Amino acid sequence: MQSDNLRRFKSVLYGLLIGLAVGMVVSLFRVSIEGLSDQFLKLAKLARTNLFVLIMLIILNLLIAFFVYYLVKRDKNIKGSGIPQVEGQLNGELDYSWFSVLSKKFIGGVLAISSGLFLGREGPSIQLGAATAQGLADTFKQTKQARKTIISGGAAAGLSAAFNAPIASTLFVLEEIYHNFSTSVWLTSLSAAISANFVSTAVFGKVPVLHMSYSHVIPLHIYPYLIGLGIVIGIGGLIYEYATLHVNDWYAKLDWVPNIVWVLIPFILVIPFEMYLPTIVGGGSTMVLTIAKAAPTITVLLWFLLIRFVMSILSYSTGLPGGIFLPMLSLGALIGAIYSEVLIQLGVLPQSYFVNFIIISMSGFFACVGKAPFTAILLITEMVGSLQNLMSLAFVTLVAYEVTDLLGGSPIYNEMLQKMLSPQKLSTSGQLTNLYFSVQLGSDMDGKAVKSINWPDGCLISSIKRNEQYIIPDGGTILKAGDNIEISTNYDNRGYVYTHVEKLTLDN
């Protein structure tokens, strides 16, 4: 008992150390983006009346595009959001140099996001946090399992420092990446997230990232309209996910066009928006706060939605460092704003609930695309800084999630990871490595004996952790929901085994 208590205490201490380091790295990342973004917007404003400045801005954007594209070519692991890479690393499917990712992701992310591309800072912040934690784990020569726990803490700390949302950041690691509530993982992640949030709060202040002023709670007689909102969000999320995952496949059909062209296009297209619609560029938080203060017309909101949808897809398709977390929230906010304005014009919804619909729609959209409803609910609650919308927010989130689920939607980050990995094949080479899974209620493993499960070739179930007790399994051992199982396989076989076993452990 004492050794377990000491182990948990060490998890908290490790988390606090990780959070401080990650908090400083991600806070510097945020400060750099905000400072450089301001300079780009000032240049764009001058470019309205000065042809020389406009030419200089175009050249500068093209130079940044070529340079960041070069960085991605040097290390493909800094590509895009970074969340799929972190998932792959913790799942045992990927591994990479922490210093290369940390340095190149930081520089590339600052340049790509600051230039006005419709990308968010949160995905890169998660990978920067994970890379920083990986560096600490390697420096202190931690075991493989401890290393994964520390990296998880770094990922949670990165998201917490990006959004000032420590509880949701911890849940994101557990719900999106691990699909279970391992004690060591959540203790390390929570303490790291709180510590990182302390640092970012000291730098950026206590005001929530998406703080909005409103005074009413949605009454029960409005809830039938929330069902329609959830359906619209669910369908919209499915369309967004499909476009994001397949845009590069569409590009590939035009194989005569060099890849760099697809990178340059959004860098050029973003310049007019920076010049004449500066609030709409970037991740989208400025736009969300702007429309919450003064509701535009439905026509303007529809244009905003079209522009942000197209530019978000084009920006992410470049493969340059930048996330879709905040862009997803901004699309959800626009859908909620349009839906509520229609109801207001029809006379069935008071104007005072306009902001409420923006808030709850952000949660619904993220939940149906990321397939992480609990994270979505807590994330928006922390980002807005109020519990008043919790019931209506959870209601719409559930409806949107189920609509997308029934229509065949998949977790977007997992789909991105599978696209990144080469086709998985059985391999018998490499040193032994361990993979960890959690058996979910209703999965193909739940309630079945080890010998009756269709295990992939080339793996061995080593142990089962049940209620803090370890079991050495044999063929007759019955697996139960909540069991954490450890599987051994060859290092080069880890991707093949993980892909197959994960399907067996997840709820169907």
Side-chain angles (χ1 to χ4, degrees):
M1 178 65 70
Q2 186 176 3
S3 61
D4 287 341
N5 293 340
L6 181 60
R7 176 173 54 82
R8 287 191 284 268
F9 180 68
K10 287 182 178 179
S11 296
V12 173
L13 290 182
Y14 279 136
L16 293 175
L17 175 63
I18 294 163
L20 289 174
V22 173
M24 289 186 283
V25 170
V26 174
S27 292
L28 180 59
F29 185 63
R30 286 180 62 179
V31 168
S32 302
I33 290 173
E34 291 178 7
L36 195 56
S37 294
D38 288 341
Q39 299 306 312
F40 270 100
L41 291 176
K42 288 178 181 177
L43 279 177
K45 186 176 181 180
L46 291 173
R48 296 180 193 172
T49 55
N50 191 314
L51 181 60
F52 175 76
V53 174
L54 176 58
I55 294 172
M56 185 173 68
L57 184 59
I58 293 172
I59 293 174
L60 183 60
N61 270 25
L62 294 178
L63 289 175
I64 289 175
F66 278 108
F67 178 69
V68 181
Y69 182 73
Y70 166 77
L71 291 179
V72 174
K73 283 291 188 181
R74 290 289 302 273
D75 190 341
K76 64 180 181 179
N77 292 304
I78 70 168
K79 183 178 181 180
S81 167
I83 294 176
Q85 291 91 323
V86 174
E87 285 194 18
Q89 187 179 35
L90 293 175
N91 293 341
E93 296 176 283
L94 291 175
D95 206 4
Y96 43 76
S97 165
W98 68 268
F99 183 76
S100 174
V101 167
L102 179 62
S103 56
K104 293 182 177 67
K105 189 83 173 191
F106 190 102
I107 297 171
V110 168
L111 292 175
I113 298 170
S114 300
S115 65
L117 292 189
F118 289 52
L119 298 170
R121 64 174 181 263
E122 62 299 318
S125 296
I126 290 173
Q127 192 174 23
L128 289 174
T132 302
Q134 182 185 340
L136 292 174
D138 291 351
T139 299
F140 294 110
K141 301 186 184 305
Q142 297 294 302
T143 62
K144 288 182 179 180
Q145 183 57 26
R147 181 174 180 265
K148 288 184 177 182
T149 302
I150 289 172
I151 292 173
S152 301
L159 181 56
S160 179
F163 279 162
N164 296 103
I167 308 303
S169 301
T170 304
L171 190 57
F172 177 79
V173 170
L174 300 173
E175 184 179 28
E176 175 68 28
I177 297 177
Y178 275 100
H179 309 295
N180 71 75
F181 286 76
S182 165
T183 302
S184 60
V185 171
W186 81 254
L187 272 176
T188 305
S189 298
L190 179 60
S191 53
I194 291 173
S195 181
N197 184 63
F198 178 84
V199 175
S200 63
T201 300
V203 176
F204 299 100
K206 297 180 181 179
V207 178
V209 175
L210 289 177
H211 178 67
M212 303 178 202
S213 298
Y214 60 97
S215 57
H216 297 85
V217 177
I218 295 178
L220 292 179
H221 73 270
I222 300 295
Y223 273 60
Y225 299 110
L226 296 186
I227 296 175
L229 176 60
I231 293 172
V232 171
I233 290 173
I235 295 172
L238 195 67
I239 294 171
Y240 172 80
E241 179 180 345
Y242 183 84
T244 302
L245 293 174
H246 292 87
V247 62
N248 289 112
D249 297 335
W250 302 333
Y251 288 166
K253 294 179 180 179
L254 303 174
D255 53 6
W256 51 272
V257 179
N259 288 335
I260 188 62
V261 172
W262 306 118
V263 175
L264 297 176
I265 288 174
F267 275 94
I268 297 299
L269 292 178
V270 77
I271 293 176
F273 297 121
E274 286 183 306
M275 293 168 62
Y276 300 105
L277 277 176
T279 58
I280 203 175
V281 301
S285 57
T286 301
M287 182 207 66
V288 172
L289 294 174
T290 300
I291 65 174
K293 289 180 181 178
T297 64
I298 294 177
T299 302
V300 171
L301 289 170
L302 285 170
W303 274 111
F304 280 9
L305 179 62
L306 178 62
I307 292 169
R308 282 212 59 90
F309 179 86
V310 173
M311 287 300 296
S312 295
I313 301 297
L314 292 179
S315 296
Y316 195 77
S317 70
T318 63
L320 303 186
I324 60 172
F325 221 110
L326 195 51
M328 278 195 289
L329 299 185
S330 66
L331 288 174
L334 286 169
I335 292 174
I338 294 168
Y339 186 88
S340 62
E341 275 297 307
V342 170
L343 295 182
I344 292 168
Q345 295 298 322
L346 293 174
V348 298
L349 182 72
Q351 181 69 45
S352 56
Y353 297 120
F354 176 76
V355 175
N356 300 71
F357 273 63
I358 291 176
I359 293 170
I360 62 181
S361 297
M362 288 191 290
S363 174
F365 198 85
F366 177 78
C368 68
V369 178
K371 287 304 191 75
F374 289 107
T375 299
I377 293 167
L378 278 179
L379 180 67
I380 300 305
T381 299
E382 287 189 284
M383 290 179 71
V384 173
S386 172
L387 293 170
Q388 283 185 300
N389 286 294
L390 194 57
M391 179 61 185
S392 55
L393 189 147
F395 182 81
V396 170
T397 297
L398 178 62
V399 173
Y401 177 89
E402 283 304 319
V403 168
T404 306
D405 202 44
L406 291 172
L407 293 176
S410 303
I412 193 169
Y413 292 118
N414 184 64
E415 292 296 316
M416 288 178 176
L417 174 61
Q418 296 309 314
K419 279 182 168 288
M420 288 171 50
L421 298 173
S422 57
Q424 303 297 334
K425 297 180 180 179
L426 177 63
S427 173
T428 56
S429 62
Q431 63 183 8
L432 286 179
T433 189
N434 294 325
L435 303 174
Y436 300 87
F437 304 87
S438 179
V439 179
Q440 293 189 2
L441 183 67
S443 68
D444 290 338
M445 285 190 182
D446 185 17
K448 292 186 179 179
V450 170
K451 63 183 178 183
S452 65
I453 295 170
N454 185 25
W455 300 98
D457 294 331
C459 73
L460 175 68
I461 179 168
S462 306
S463 68
I464 300 171
K465 184 179 180 183
R466 180 181 297 163
N467 299 326
E468 299 298 322
Q469 300 294 321
Y470 285 91
I471 301 171
I472 303 300
D474 57 30
T477 303
I478 303 296
L479 293 171
K480 298 180 179 180
D483 285 350
N484 293 307
I485 60 176
E486 177 182 357
I487 292 179
S488 298
T489 187
N490 295 99
Y491 184 80
D492 292 343
N493 196 37
R494 66 194 189 284
Y496 171 82
V497 170
Y498 187 90
T499 300
H500 286 73
V501 175
E502 184 186 40
K503 294 177 181 178
L504 298 173
T505 60
L506 297 180
D507 177 16
N508 294 318

